[in-house]
């Protein structure tokens, strides 16, 4: 597949670049998730303090029931918003990782096809059928990979749309309740 040390070194360099890209994507996503979690914890702590203060001001059962109903809806909305944010980070990360992997697969596939073509030129007579079978199997594997990638992207897009639709329903229910 690699006829010279330069080709081998170039393959190693491009593989290292892909690995570094994946590491960078992972670190950025982790940073986003940690930031989201820290904000959520801070908001939850602030909300708990407000609720504790409000609970200490309760004088009767009606006040308690009123307090309970006013704190339940915002909590549900916050859970939905947090879930949506986490999912958006995960979906964005997956999209970025898929792009790096697809680019890498495209490059490696091209190198393999070039190596097969070169091998076919120097192969002994009568091996054309074996080379053709190998090319066919390789093309089928690439087609299967492309199909799987497409289905994965469509499923991820559908999930994002479903989460967005659910968040819109919660927002609409909130507006209707007020």
């Amino acid at each position: 597949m690699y006829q010279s040390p330069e080709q081998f070194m170039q393959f190693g360099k491009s593989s290292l670049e892909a690995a570094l890209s994946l590491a960078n994507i992972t670190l950025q996503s982790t940073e986003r998730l940690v930031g989201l979690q820290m904000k959520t914890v801070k908001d939850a702590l602030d909300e708990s303090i407000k609720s504790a203060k409000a609970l200490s001001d309760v004088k009767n059962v009606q006040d308690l029931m009123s307090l309970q109903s006013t704190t339940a809806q915002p909590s549900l909305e916050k859970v939905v918003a947090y879930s949506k944010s986490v999912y958006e980070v995960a979906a964005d990360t997956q999209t970025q990782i898929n792009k790096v992997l697809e680019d890498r697969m495209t490059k490696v596939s091209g190198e393999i096809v070039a190596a097969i073509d070169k091998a076919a030129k120097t192969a002994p007579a009568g091996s054309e059928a074996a080379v053709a079978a190998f090319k066919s199997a390789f093309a089928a594997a690439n087609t299967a990979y492309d199909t799987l990638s497409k289905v994965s992207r469509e499923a991820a897009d559908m999930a994002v749309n479903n989460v967005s639709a659910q968040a819109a329903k919660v927002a609409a229910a909130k507006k209707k309740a007020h």
Side-chain angles (χ1 to χ4, degrees):
M1 187 160 138
Y2 300 102
Q3 284 68 39
S4 70
E6 292 82 20
Q7 287 176 317
F8 184 73
M9 289 178 66
Q10 182 59 36
F11 177 77
K13 181 181 174 186
S14 63
S15 295
L16 179 62
E17 288 171 357
L20 291 174
S21 291
L22 292 173
N24 190 36
I25 291 166
T26 303
L27 288 173
Q28 288 174 355
S29 297
T30 300
E31 182 179 25
R32 287 173 60 194
L33 284 174
V34 167
L36 178 62
Q37 290 172 341
M38 291 301 293
K39 181 186 178 311
T40 302
V41 168
K42 183 184 177 301
D43 291 348
L45 180 61
D46 290 346
E47 194 64 35
S48 295
I49 291 170
K50 286 179 188 176
S51 293
K53 286 179 182 178
L55 188 58
S56 69
D57 292 339
V58 169
K59 305 278 190 258
N60 56 43
V61 174
Q62 290 174 331
D63 290 345
L64 180 63
M65 297 304 273
S66 175
L67 176 65
Q68 183 180 12
S69 67
T70 59
T71 58
Q73 184 65 25
S75 296
L76 175 62
E77 291 169 7
K78 289 176 185 175
V79 168
V80 170
Y82 175 78
S83 298
K84 182 180 178 196
S85 296
V86 169
Y87 188 80
E88 287 171 354
V89 170
D92 183 48
T93 301
Q94 187 63 43
T95 299
Q96 291 179 41
I97 288 172
N98 283 347
K99 181 172 180 355
V100 170
L101 293 177
E102 286 173 7
D103 291 347
R104 187 73 188 123
M105 283 296 295
T106 299
K107 185 172 184 173
V108 169
S109 293
E111 291 171 354
I112 290 173
V113 168
I116 292 170
D117 288 341
K118 185 172 184 172
K121 291 177 185 175
T122 60
S127 61
E128 294 84 12
V131 170
F134 186 78
K135 280 184 174 183
S136 177
F138 187 73
N142 277 339
T143 300
Y145 174 77
D146 290 342
T147 301
L148 182 61
S149 293
K150 181 181 176 187
V151 168
S152 295
R153 280 191 302 272
E154 289 172 357
D157 290 345
M158 187 183 314
V160 168
N161 292 338
N162 287 342
V163 168
S164 296
Q166 189 62 34
K169 285 181 185 177
V170 169
K174 177 186 174 192
K175 285 182 182 180
K176 202 177 216 183
H178 292 302

